[in-house]
Amino acid sequence: MSKTIFEYSTRGRMGVTLPKRELEIPLEDMFGAEQLRANPIRLPEVSELDVMRHYIMLSHKNHFIEKGLYPLGSCTMKYNPKLHESLVRHTCFANLHPYQHEDTLQGALELLYELQQDLAEISGMAQVTLQPVAGAQGEFAGIKIIAAYHHAKGNNHKTKIIIPDSAHGTNPATCHLVGFEVVELKSNPDGRCDINTLRGLVDENTAGFMLTNPNTLGLFENQIEEIAEIMHSVDALVYMDGANLNALMGIVQPGKIGFDVMHFNLHKTFSTPHGGGGPGCGPVGVVEKLVPYLPVPMIAKNDSGYYLDYSNQVTSIGKVHTYYGNFAIQVRAYIYIKMLGALGLRRVSENAILNANYLMKLLKPYYHIQHEEYCMHEFVMDGTKQKKEQGISTLDIAKRLLDKGYHAPTIYFPLIIPEAMMVEPTETESIDSMNAFAEAMIEIARECKDTPDMLHEAPLCTPVRRVDDVRAVKVLDPIFQIQD
Ligand SMILES: *Cc1c(COP(=O)(O)O)cnc(C)c1O
């Protein structure tokens, strides 16, 4: 177990010297005497170097993209250029305040306006709001918009949303939260929506259909136009979960093939490092007939410049976040799009697809792959062969991968593939790093045969060995408690 920063503490040691200043207003007057501490808080007394070494040492125990490949399917853990990080910290952006008058924010508003336009172009949607701050919140806003559309038409009997069994878990959760009933659609044997079953599920009470595309098996749902036709015939709307846009940029415009609403995850595809729960940005794009229901304000432009547009106020679903949403993430996405340009974005998607297919082909002789046709930006293999032959689970394989310096793929998801391992190499990996990853996976396949007992013990070389996940959730054991 590593030391806590408190264990480095030496009485009197300091990292910084603060200037001595008399307060103009005594603290007692400012906050009231009863708010002040009776005794000084116990803080670690450490030098700057102590602090640096402590955190660098901790960071090395962690996994991050700069350390090694991060093949976490559905999450797009790609490398994001450091240039964007330095630009977004520029005082021009960092010193703005959301309460400033829009006359003094013209540059920022122009940036947001253009980002709205660019995302609308990428998605083929009429308009895009940047307000939601997570993929799941984008879904919430999008499904609220569907509800508002039906409500405005007086169609309050439309209470059901159909979702395939391969959906991301947030999809049914979102529909429940908005108040819809979820109807599950089984996938057909080739891993896509079963159109005939779908026809049987649709009726006058259907409000919408929510689809992840490419789906969580890494397959493109190729029957969108037919699905949209079935839905639109009963005035139901089609939602696309576009969290993983890495395979579609410059290739498919969802708004042009029958989708009515979609969300993006800027923190997956558009250059925001993520993980650890945020912050994020989940813009939502809609077709023309749904524009009146978008959250307010939108960023708009007239002859005198850019402004916050509240003209939808009456029909809008309202605000879903304070101010402008997560501005710094929007700035990164803007830079990413402008740096790459239209052709660059297309190449990102082409390379993401190429890399996933390349890796899938390398691993196919060693791991079972249920849907082994051409995949999109990710693919799903599984550990059923190892389970059957050596009694080794996907969890064992994933843990062993940690020993080899990699993050594990997404495992046991999608739920419809037993012992699933969902791999997304992303376009930022070179052929060498994919070869090295494949070599590690192949070595593990060999170890499964030669030293199966060792696999059950893995990981052997990590700072923390295999944890009891269930116990960790139930028995919270804080490493240390700060004493007053
Ligand atoms: C990541 C993801 C989400 C949720 O996004 P959050 O920002 O984590 O809320 C939704 N759908 C799909 C397909 C995803 O991959």
Side-chain angles (χ1 to χ4, degrees):
M1 188 60 73
S2 53
K3 277 165 113 180
T4 71
I5 191 75
F6 283 87
E7 290 166 274
Y8 288 93
S9 191
T10 302
R11 187 162 290 275
R13 191 177 287 176
M14 273 219 266
V16 289
T17 338
L18 297 174
K20 284 229 174 331
R21 272 228 323 253
E22 287 297 319
L23 290 172
E24 281 166 23
I25 307 169
L27 287 176
E28 289 83 352
D29 295 352
M30 231 185 310
F31 300 111
E34 72 284 0
Q35 297 286 348
L36 302 186
R37 286 181 180 282
N39 301 305
I41 188 172
R42 186 182 151 246
L43 291 172
E45 297 181 72
V46 286
S47 71
E48 184 173 311
L49 184 57
D50 291 334
V51 175
M52 289 305 292
R53 288 202 174 136
H54 176 66
Y55 284 105
I56 295 287
M57 191 263 306
L58 282 184
S59 78
H60 281 239
K61 292 187 171 180
N62 218 328
H63 190 80
F64 41 97
I65 191 73
E66 290 82 357
K67 187 174 173 183
L69 189 138
Y70 207 138
L72 198 61
S74 190
C75 292
T76 314
M77 302 301 281
K78 60 167 132 178
Y79 178 72
N80 295 295
K82 293 294 172 259
L83 173 69
H84 306 180
E85 293 305 308
S86 67
L87 290 176
V88 77
R89 285 167 175 74
H90 194 283
T91 48
C92 289
F93 298 124
N95 288 356
L96 296 178
H97 194 281
Y99 272 147
Q100 269 176 248
H101 192 272
E102 55 194 43
D103 286 349
T104 68
L105 287 174
Q106 284 297 302
L109 292 176
E110 180 178 356
L111 183 151
L112 297 182
Y113 180 82
E114 286 207 12
L115 181 58
Q116 283 178 182
Q117 302 290 101
D118 289 348
L119 292 176
E121 176 67 28
I122 289 166
S123 60
M125 291 291 175
Q127 279 208 47
V128 171
T129 170
L130 305 174
Q131 218 177 78
V133 294
Q137 203 194 14
E139 290 175 31
F140 178 75
I143 298 296
K144 281 291 267 189
I145 288 170
I146 292 180
Y149 169 82
H150 293 310
H151 185 68
K153 295 182 107 183
N155 289 334
N156 293 327
H157 57 284
K158 289 197 170 289
T159 53
K160 293 188 203 162
I161 293 198
I162 302 172
I163 303 182
D165 57 3
S166 63
H168 194 269
T170 49
N171 294 182
T174 295
C175 292
H176 279 296
L177 203 61
V178 178
F180 285 109
E181 189 188 322
V182 173
V183 180
E184 188 181 273
L185 170 65
K186 289 245 172 298
S187 301
N188 65 18
D190 79 349
R192 295 188 172 83
C193 293
D194 194 304
I195 297 284
N196 286 332
T197 314
L198 179 63
R199 278 187 214 282
L201 292 177
V202 174
D203 60 26
E204 272 308 307
N205 299 330
T206 308
F209 183 67
M210 201 174 186
L211 184 66
T212 302
N213 199 26
N215 70 24
T216 56
L217 295 167
L219 304 176
F220 188 76
E221 292 281 354
N222 49 10
Q223 312 164 93
I224 303 299
E225 282 163 329
E226 210 175 338
I227 292 172
E229 211 179 290
I230 298 170
M231 289 298 141
H232 292 154
S233 72
V234 294
D235 198 22
L237 299 174
V238 191
Y239 186 102
M240 180 172 123
D241 180 333
N244 308 133
L245 215 61
N246 233 35
L248 304 189
M249 291 184 294
I251 301 173
V252 178
Q253 288 176 297
K256 299 279 166 66
I257 57 170
F259 288 106
D260 302 296
V261 197
M262 70 169 278
H263 81 269
F264 311 72
N265 273 29
L266 297 191
H267 48 290
K268 282 179 184 162
T269 313
F270 296 92
S271 174
T272 286
H274 68 114
C281 185
V284 174
V286 296
V287 293
E288 201 65 51
K289 67 178 173 191
L290 299 178
V291 169
Y293 311 106
L294 283 169
V296 279
M298 292 291 290
I299 316 295
K301 183 184 172 184
N302 61 18
D303 290 345
S304 45
Y306 298 91
Y307 66 101
L308 298 177
D309 182 1
Y310 285 88
S311 59
N312 281 355
Q313 190 129 228
V314 178
T315 48
S316 165
I317 60 163
K319 276 180 87 66
V320 295
H321 199 73
T322 47
Y323 308 118
Y324 305 83
N326 275 330
F327 181 64
I329 294 179
Q330 296 153 0
V331 174
R332 287 181 180 91
Y334 172 89
I335 300 167
Y336 185 74
I337 291 169
K338 297 296 182 195
M339 293 286 286
L340 283 166
L343 287 178
L345 290 175
R346 189 186 164 100
R347 280 198 63 198
V348 164
S349 289
E350 287 171 349
N351 285 333
I353 296 169
L354 184 63
N355 279 1
N357 280 282
Y358 176 74
L359 197 52
M360 180 168 76
K361 286 280 177 300
L362 288 184
L363 293 176
K364 211 174 106 180
Y366 305 90
Y367 294 91
H368 177 248
I369 297 176
Q370 178 89 36
H371 302 283
E372 49 179 82
E373 61 179 291
Y374 182 69
C375 69
M376 297 298 282
H377 62 301
E378 61 193 357
F379 65 94
V380 179
M381 55 183 184
D382 62 69
T384 48
K385 190 152 89 181
Q386 284 73 15
K387 182 99 186 182
K388 199 163 118 230
E389 290 169 12
Q390 290 101 21
I392 288 163
S393 69
T394 276
L395 184 69
D396 296 333
I397 295 169
K399 294 291 182 193
R400 183 62 181 149
L401 203 46
L402 308 185
D403 279 335
K404 306 205 182 267
Y406 293 101
H407 195 281
T410 297
I411 56 172
Y412 298 106
F413 183 81
L415 304 175
I416 51 178
I417 301 287
E419 302 292 316
M421 288 183 267
M422 187 187 204
V423 178
E424 181 180 6
T426 83
E427 76 286 356
T428 54
E429 295 302 329
S430 68
I431 191 164
D432 309 311
S433 74
M434 282 189 299
N435 286 341
F437 175 73
E439 196 40 57
M441 286 301 297
I442 294 167
E443 227 171 75
I444 293 175
R446 232 177 274 133
E447 288 170 356
C448 288
K449 291 187 179 140
D450 300 344
T451 48
D453 289 344
M454 185 255 284
L455 264 287
H456 298 306
E457 296 295 313
L460 305 170
C461 320
T462 48
V464 177
R465 295 285 303 277
R466 194 177 294 208
V467 290
D468 182 341
D469 298 328
V470 179
R471 189 161 177 270
V473 176
K474 291 190 171 158
V475 188
L476 300 176
D477 179 18
I479 297 172
F480 66 92
Q481 283 157 340
I482 298 178
Q483 287 141 13
D484 214 0

